[in-house]
Amino acid sequence: MPYLTDNIFDELHESVKGDVYTDKLRRYMHSTDGSIYRVEPSCVVYPKDEEDVVNIVKFAQKYGLTVHPRGAGSGLCGSAIGKGIVIDFTKYMNRILELNLDEGYFVCEPGYRFGELEAILKDKGYFFPPDPSSGEYASFGGMFGTNASGAHSVKYGNVSDYVLDADIILSSGEKINLNEIYSKSFDELDDKFKKLYHLYTKYSDDIESAYPKVKYNVTGYNLRGLVKDNSLFLNKLFCGAEGTLGIATKLKFRIIPKPTFDGLVVAYFDDIISSAKAVQMILPMKPSGIEIMDKSLLKIAKENDEQLKDKIPDGVDNVLLIEFDSYDKDEVEMLAKNAKDLIDREGLTNSSFLAVSQEEKDKFWAIRKAAVPILYKLKGEKKILALIEDAAVPTDKLVEYFQGLYGLLEKHKIDFVIYGHIAKGLLHTRPLLNLKDPHDIDYLKILTDEVFELVNSLGGAISGEHGDGRIRSYYVSKQYPKIYPLFKTVKSILDEGNILNPEIITNSDPYQMKKFLRFGKDYRSKDLTDKLLVWEEGFVNEVEKCHGCSKCTTVTTATRMCPIYKFTRDEAAAPKAKANILRALISGAIDDKSLYESAFQYVIDHCVNCGSCERECPSNVNIPKIALEARSQYVKKYGTDITKKLLVNVELAARYTRKISPLLAKIMKPGISRKLNELFTGLAEEREFIAFDTKSLFEQVNREVGAGESSVLYFSGCYAGYIETNIGLSTIKVLEKLGFKVLVPDQHCCGLPMLTKGMVNKARKSVEKNLNKWGNLIKDVDYIVVSCSSCGLSLMKEWGYLLNNDEIHEIKNKMVHITKLINDNIEKLNFENVDKKFAYHMPCHLKVQKYANSSLELLKGKIGLDVVNLNSHCCGIAGSWGMSADNYDLSMDIGRDLAQKISKSGCESVLTDCPTCRIQIEHISDKKVLHPVEVVAECLKD
């Protein structure tokens, strides 16, 4: 083998068109997935095409390196990590190549995501039935690698049932096509495929009888039906092989017509045995899915989510969600009614509901969708683990399986929750363990051993849909004692050098599930010294909360999540990357000085503080805050550049230049002026000069308006105070009409622009100036009203990052967005009809607040205006981030979807609560842009 040095990767750089990384941070970012493990690779590559993949594999063969294909990194078993070269397909090889509705198929690259397909197929009458819970962000390469399934697989089957073809790169660098091999006669096959053919024909009886009689089994390799019609049929061998036999570069899948109607039965049970019996009775009716959640999960859901308290009855042991679908509405209603009547008649349930309307179904599915993510928010050292969550047993053995599971977990006095696809005999059992505690680490093997013995005794499979990975590969030989040697032979035939994910499936290490833990008994962490923000619950705790599920890499508009990741698809932009590199810092995996290195800050700077990831993260990890801390530490040591200094000084500029602002606007109108401005300041020349009103809001209004018994302090923010003062005037007019006494004290910037740029001291001083100006008003007023969504987020949340005192807490409790206050007092106002069509864009900083829908509810619901909800993601400007020349192009890429939606809406004006969203919308469209309160003020009857 050639001598291995750091320089060998220069050779890979030269042969690959994509990105090749060997730096410590990038390798650490790809050292984890959705599992409990961490293995640091020697290299990370984002290939651009199939040729890149071939060159990577040949390079790995040459130097004896292992190769680990990776999709979204959402797998729970540790299959997408390894010591060699990690190939990440999500950045470049992520396209759909063909969609053919007439023939019912699509072709895609491995990094293409399930959620993207769903978005395309919406309203087209087709769907791809296997729907894993991670589907919105799971890649088809990963789903192919694990032979994934989901809640509806009881009726529709696994991914392997929909594979039509695939291009595969073998460890030799050879490309094969599954259909081409299937079309060849035995004599036309290469030697290695002849060996596979002979292996199956020689041992076909052993192979076909070796697998347990459960439909949902992804344990080991699927050798069944390897020879079909006297041809070698490899589809089901490679689908589920977890990247150990070859690397898929192009995939072709079948899609089918989507049933038009579905119905749902929700049934609560007093004991787990009754629910198991109910499932056995209903299965002959061919439901599309049956989900179960046990009492532990329901209890936690009720305690942690206000919306679920009234939806989940007290004292129940578990709930079943029983779904039927059909192309016939009457058939669905009949099936659902018959199922409900059946379990009611047998006296199995203490409460059941028939939910046929979409509103009813959404209400009950909210339990299933909201409950499981809540588990990730549990506080304390013990966390739910994806450890013994994937076994599947014959459905006629469900009662024995429940009894055995409960018995062994209670024997060890381990808390747990159970949920999952009970109709498939597949229960996701999640024990609560602390993987920093050696005692709990020992339970990894104890529990998996005992669960395997239980499952095996019942004729089940240890891996039902998530794969074997590092957790369960040891049990493959135990599951198949007779044909396990054949698995080893297949591996050696197709991967002669054993370089493709060699620690998965055919590696029978009895202690593998305890090795390479993300935490583990030797894990140590140390806090940052001299933290610059307030951390009541601890900086270390916040960083370690991220469990790597990859939801933050969602690329559709189903979630806001990270707009930068959506449009770069670079791991460094993913919110979880910030948690990963900061965990590397606090655990000592990288040196303390790394915090100040450009590669580290490159990752941190990919957070624009929109707040979406924290709101939508299952664990609610405050990624924006930990990024702010890291950025602030850097700024404290090295300072910041002129562009950032200019962008945070809007208030100062307004105070001293507003009188001459019209003149400056004329000077800055020509392109040459803006070009020079970009050269000297870094602000994008494409951006229009933003002029100030010559008279500020504070010069146009009295400091006290109205004479109501209730009083409000109006915090206008810099935009309504100095740029579009009509927003401030409209807010005050409406507040006065509502009967409030409106106080407009001296005020300064909310500090958010400074904080997002890491200028903590400057931000803190701005907050302190406001507190000093307001004095006792904070206690005396009933509300503190904002019209700017970003100012609202700052007062409600981020002032608490800078100061921790009673005034800050009182401001947080009294802060309210103007449209929420109008909604609460709407009966005091009278409106005129306005015959205009509007479109509404919800800003990121409003979406993450408690009353995110207040403006839309007011305009469309309470006033009855013609308002189109654009349902858009981030506008792309991200505060002042998109004003910079460095970020302008990406800002426009992000905003393109919003521009298209505005154009299609047919609106006369666009409404939004955010000043910088307003700037972006005016830049990307020709529509007039208003704040909702301006429209409310216009609609008021005198």
Side-chain angles (χ1 to χ4, degrees):
M1 184 181 78
Y3 181 61
L4 190 63
T5 70
D6 289 341
N7 295 327
I8 65 165
F9 293 108
D10 291 341
E11 180 183 326
L12 190 58
H13 272 284
E14 293 172 3
S15 64
V16 170
K17 297 182 286 294
D19 305 335
V20 179
Y21 293 97
T22 56
D23 63 282
K24 179 74 174 178
L25 280 183
R26 188 68 65 155
R27 290 187 286 121
Y28 196 94
M29 281 187 273
H30 285 77
S31 66
T32 58
D33 54 8
S35 72
I36 59 178
Y37 301 105
R38 189 183 82 79
V39 182
E40 193 169 311
S42 57
C43 177
V44 175
V45 186
Y46 300 106
K48 283 201 169 179
D49 55 26
E50 188 177 80
E51 183 182 24
D52 274 358
V53 178
V54 171
N55 288 334
I56 293 165
V57 169
K58 287 182 176 179
F59 175 86
Q61 274 283 17
K62 178 178 177 180
Y63 290 100
L65 295 168
T66 57
V67 179
H68 311 275
R70 180 184 178 100
S74 58
L76 300 174
C77 307
S79 303
I81 53 178
K83 292 182 178 180
I85 302 173
V86 167
I87 305 179
D88 188 332
F89 288 101
T90 56
K91 185 173 184 179
Y92 297 123
M93 294 183 69
N94 55 30
R95 299 170 298 162
I96 185 169
L97 303 174
E98 184 183 358
L99 175 63
N100 190 319
L101 297 179
D102 292 334
E103 297 184 31
Y105 71 84
F106 71 97
V107 181
C108 69
E109 293 175 314
Y112 186 62
R113 312 232 184 184
F114 179 83
E116 294 179 278
L117 179 72
E118 280 197 309
I120 289 178
L121 293 180
K122 187 179 181 181
D123 302 324
K124 287 185 169 63
Y126 279 82
F127 78 129
F128 184 74
D131 55 345
S133 59
S134 60
E136 189 61 49
Y137 45 96
S139 72
F140 278 99
M143 291 169 64
F144 176 81
T146 57
N147 189 17
S149 63
H152 298 101
S153 293
V154 63
K155 179 174 181 178
Y156 293 105
N158 291 21
V159 168
S160 64
D161 297 312
Y162 296 85
V163 176
L164 295 176
D165 197 6
D167 287 348
I168 307 286
I169 307 301
L170 301 179
S171 64
S172 62
E174 177 190 355
K175 171 186 169 180
I176 63 169
N177 175 269
L178 300 186
N179 279 355
E180 285 181 9
I181 291 173
Y182 182 60
S183 67
K184 290 180 178 180
S185 66
F186 176 81
D187 292 335
E188 295 174 307
L189 293 173
D190 290 345
D191 286 345
K192 56 181 166 293
F193 296 117
K194 286 180 178 177
K195 290 179 182 178
L196 288 180
Y197 192 107
H198 279 307
L199 179 141
Y200 178 80
T201 54
K202 183 177 181 180
Y203 298 103
S204 59
D205 290 343
D206 290 340
I207 289 169
E208 296 297 336
S209 63
Y211 293 84
K213 297 186 184 307
V214 288
K215 187 176 179 181
Y216 303 95
N217 174 17
V218 296
T219 314
Y221 295 137
N222 187 358
L223 301 181
R224 289 169 293 183
L226 196 60
V227 174
K228 187 169 82 171
D229 301 325
N230 295 318
S231 295
L232 196 58
F233 182 68
L234 298 176
N235 292 29
K236 296 197 174 186
L237 172 62
F238 279 98
C239 185
E242 300 181 58
T244 61
L245 302 179
I247 302 170
T249 55
K250 188 164 72 171
L251 296 156
K252 183 178 181 180
F253 294 104
R254 179 168 59 100
I255 51 177
I256 64 174
K258 186 174 184 177
T260 318
F261 303 99
D262 56 73
L264 183 70
V265 179
V266 180
Y268 296 98
F269 297 85
D270 288 332
D271 61 84
I272 207 81
I273 305 304
S274 295
S275 56
K277 290 178 179 178
V279 169
Q280 291 166 346
M281 294 172 65
I282 291 170
L283 278 176
M285 301 173 68
K286 297 184 178 179
S288 57
I290 306 180
E291 295 287 287
I292 187 170
M293 292 175 288
D294 81 341
K295 60 185 176 184
S296 303
L297 195 151
L298 293 174
K299 180 175 181 289
I300 295 166
K302 282 176 68 72
E303 290 173 351
N304 288 272
D305 193 310
E306 289 287 333
Q307 295 181 345
L308 296 181
K309 281 185 178 179
D310 297 332
K311 295 178 182 176
I312 303 174
D314 291 325
V316 298
D317 183 85
N318 65 87
V319 62
L320 291 182
L321 303 182
I322 306 160
E323 188 178 72
F324 295 91
D325 65 9
S326 174
Y327 302 99
D328 185 304
K329 184 179 180 181
D330 293 337
E331 182 184 14
V332 161
E333 292 179 355
M334 180 192 70
L335 286 168
K337 183 179 183 302
N338 289 348
K340 179 184 181 303
D341 291 345
L342 179 63
I343 56 177
D344 286 348
R345 190 166 57 249
E346 295 295 323
L348 295 174
T349 176
N350 66 356
S351 177
S352 63
F353 306 88
L354 190 62
V356 178
S357 74
Q358 193 59 49
E359 183 180 358
E360 288 177 306
K361 286 181 283 189
D362 288 345
K363 173 183 175 183
F364 292 115
W365 275 120
I367 301 171
R368 173 67 174 93
K369 291 177 181 178
V372 175
I374 285 171
L375 296 173
Y376 287 115
K377 300 171 190 173
L378 290 175
K379 295 181 179 179
E381 293 295 322
K382 293 183 183 291
K383 306 295 182 185
I384 60 164
L385 299 185
L387 176 68
I388 52 174
E389 90 300 346
D390 203 34
V393 300
T395 52
D396 61 358
K397 300 290 185 180
L398 278 172
V399 172
E400 295 94 324
Y401 187 36
F402 273 125
Q403 291 171 333
L405 270 179
Y406 275 69
L408 72 88
L409 288 161
E410 288 169 358
K411 175 185 71 176
H412 294 296
K413 296 182 172 57
I414 293 174
D415 291 330
F416 63 97
V417 294
I418 287 179
Y419 63 96
H421 320 307
I422 189 171
K424 295 160 55 176
L426 200 159
L427 305 176
H428 296 320
T429 307
R430 298 278 190 113
L432 274 74
L433 297 172
N434 175 13
L435 291 189
K436 296 178 184 177
D437 183 343
H439 177 266
D440 279 12
I441 291 171
D442 286 341
Y443 272 117
L444 294 179
K445 187 165 192 309
I446 293 169
L447 290 179
T448 47
D449 279 351
E450 292 187 14
V451 169
F452 172 76
E453 293 302 328
L454 171 64
V455 170
N456 198 42
S457 70
L458 296 174
I462 193 64
S463 301
E465 64 178 8
H466 293 159
D468 298 312
R470 295 171 181 276
I471 292 180
R472 289 181 285 272
S473 285
Y474 165 62
Y475 300 99
V476 175
S477 61
K478 290 179 168 292
Q479 182 91 64
Y480 307 111
K482 198 168 186 178
I483 63 169
Y484 182 71
L486 302 183
F487 291 175
K488 302 277 282 187
T489 301
V490 169
K491 172 70 169 172
S492 65
I493 291 171
L494 294 174
D495 180 19
E496 189 175 355
N498 195 31
I499 67 167
L500 298 179
N501 247 358
E503 295 182 312
I504 310 301
I505 298 181
T506 53
N507 180 28
S508 192
D509 178 354
Y511 296 98
Q512 186 175 12
M513 76 285 293
K514 295 172 62 175
K515 296 177 179 178
F516 298 106
L517 295 174
R518 186 184 305 192
F519 294 108
K521 59 183 175 58
D522 297 322
Y523 176 87
R524 299 290 182 273
S525 60
K526 58 179 180 178
D527 208 347
L528 287 181
T529 56
D530 302 321
K531 292 186 293 295
L532 299 174
L533 303 180
V534 175
W535 292 92
E536 292 184 81
E537 295 188 8
F539 176 77
V540 170
N541 288 339
E542 197 64 43
V543 170
E544 293 180 351
K545 274 166 62 176
C546 175
H547 61 279
C549 71
S550 289
K551 184 178 180 181
C552 58
T553 65
T554 301
V555 295
T556 65
T557 56
T559 62
R560 283 282 176 109
M561 273 306 177
C562 178
I564 309 302
Y565 181 83
K566 283 182 194 288
F567 288 86
T568 63
R569 306 210 186 188
D570 186 340
E571 187 75 13
K576 63 177 180 174
K578 285 74 173 170
N580 258 337
I581 65 169
L582 284 161
R583 189 175 63 251
L585 186 73
I586 63 176
S587 66
I590 57 175
D591 194 270
D592 288 353
K593 65 182 180 182
S594 299
L595 176 62
Y596 305 107
E597 293 175 354
S598 58
F600 194 101
Q601 288 299 321
Y602 174 82
V603 179
I604 297 301
D605 284 344
H606 276 70
C607 175
V608 294
N609 198 44
C610 70
S612 297
C613 60
E614 180 194 3
R615 175 65 180 269
E616 296 175 331
C617 168
S619 298
N620 291 141
V621 185
N622 197 337
I623 296 294
K625 187 178 181 182
I626 64 177
L628 289 174
E629 179 70 55
R631 185 178 299 131
S632 300
Q633 294 284 348
Y634 181 86
V635 170
K636 179 183 177 183
K637 185 168 184 175
Y638 293 113
T640 191
D641 60 51
I642 185 172
T643 306
K644 293 183 175 70
K645 288 178 179 177
L646 287 170
L647 289 170
V648 304
N649 280 309
V650 173
E651 180 197 351
L652 185 65
R655 286 178 183 270
Y656 291 103
T657 69
R658 67 183 185 279
K659 301 298 183 185
I660 61 169
S661 191
L663 176 61
L664 291 174
K666 288 181 180 179
I667 295 171
M668 293 303 297
K669 193 166 186 178
I672 186 65
S673 299
R674 297 212 297 264
K675 183 68 177 176
L676 289 170
N677 187 52
E678 177 180 316
L679 185 63
F680 288 106
T681 68
L683 299 176
E685 66 169 302
E686 294 88 351
R687 293 289 182 190
E688 296 81 2
F689 179 77
I690 299 170
F692 302 114
D693 278 358
T694 53
K695 289 183 70 174
S696 71
L697 174 69
F698 315 107
E699 293 172 296
Q700 298 179 55
V701 300
N702 296 324
R703 296 311 168 92
E704 186 175 315
V705 180
E709 292 183 6
S710 297
S711 61
V712 301
L713 185 161
Y714 174 47
F715 183 74
S716 69
C718 298
Y719 194 82
Y722 296 102
I723 299 172
E724 290 288 350
T725 57
N726 188 55
I727 297 173
L729 294 171
S730 298
T731 301
I732 293 168
K733 175 184 176 181
V734 174
L735 287 170
E736 189 178 5
K737 280 281 189 180
L738 287 171
F740 289 105
K741 179 168 70 174
V742 186
L743 304 171
V744 189
D746 290 339
Q747 49 193 263
H748 296 276
C749 177
C750 69
L752 181 62
M754 300 90 155
L755 183 58
T756 57
K757 301 296 184 291
M759 304 176 193
V760 172
N761 289 335
K762 192 174 180 68
R764 187 177 289 114
K765 286 177 183 177
S766 190
V767 175
E768 289 171 342
K769 282 181 185 178
N770 280 311
L771 298 183
N772 291 334
K773 295 283 187 183
W774 301 352
N776 289 330
L777 284 179
I778 297 170
K779 292 183 178 179
D780 295 341
V781 298
D782 296 287
Y783 301 100
I784 296 172
V785 176
V786 296
S787 50
C788 169
S789 53
S790 296
C791 290
L793 181 67
S794 188
L795 270 65
M796 178 185 72
K797 191 167 193 173
E798 295 181 348
W799 281 17
Y801 297 172
L802 301 166
L803 296 168
N804 185 14
N805 56 40
D806 292 341
E807 291 172 304
I808 296 296
H809 292 293
E810 187 142 16
I811 289 169
K812 176 182 177 181
N813 292 332
K814 290 185 175 181
M815 198 284 296
V816 63
H817 191 72
I818 178 61
T819 53
K820 165 61 178 169
L821 192 60
I822 298 171
N823 270 329
D824 290 345
N825 296 275
I826 194 72
E827 72 281 354
K828 298 177 183 178
L829 300 177
N830 293 310
F831 299 99
E832 296 177 341
N833 291 328
V834 175
D835 188 21
K836 292 181 181 178
K837 186 173 184 178
F838 302 96
Y840 177 72
H841 167 70
M842 184 183 294
C844 295
H845 282 173
L846 185 60
K847 189 175 180 68
V848 298
Q849 295 180 44
K850 190 173 183 180
Y851 302 107
N853 292 313
S854 61
S855 293
L856 200 58
E857 289 172 0
L858 172 64
L859 298 166
K860 194 169 183 176
K862 300 287 179 68
I863 303 179
L865 298 178
D866 184 0
V867 183
V868 176
N869 181 5
L870 294 171
N871 285 315
S872 41
H873 56 66
C874 176
C875 74
I877 200 166
S880 56
W881 175 86
M883 304 294 288
S884 166
D886 291 341
N887 303 323
Y888 177 78
D889 289 341
L890 181 54
S891 171
M892 295 303 291
D893 285 343
I894 296 170
R896 192 166 291 115
D897 176 72
L898 175 58
Q900 291 171 352
K901 287 184 174 180
I902 291 171
S903 178
K904 291 178 182 177
S905 71
C907 69
E908 295 177 49
S909 301
V910 181
L911 309 178
T912 188
D913 307 79
C914 173
T916 51
C917 287
R918 182 172 181 153
I919 292 169
Q920 178 81 328
I921 294 168
E922 287 172 343
H923 186 68
I924 62 177
S925 77
D926 58 358
K927 303 294 183 182
K928 183 178 181 181
V929 187
L930 297 168
H931 190 288
V933 78
E934 292 181 278
V935 178
V936 174
E938 184 184 338
C939 294
L940 284 176
K941 284 184 179 178
D942 292 331

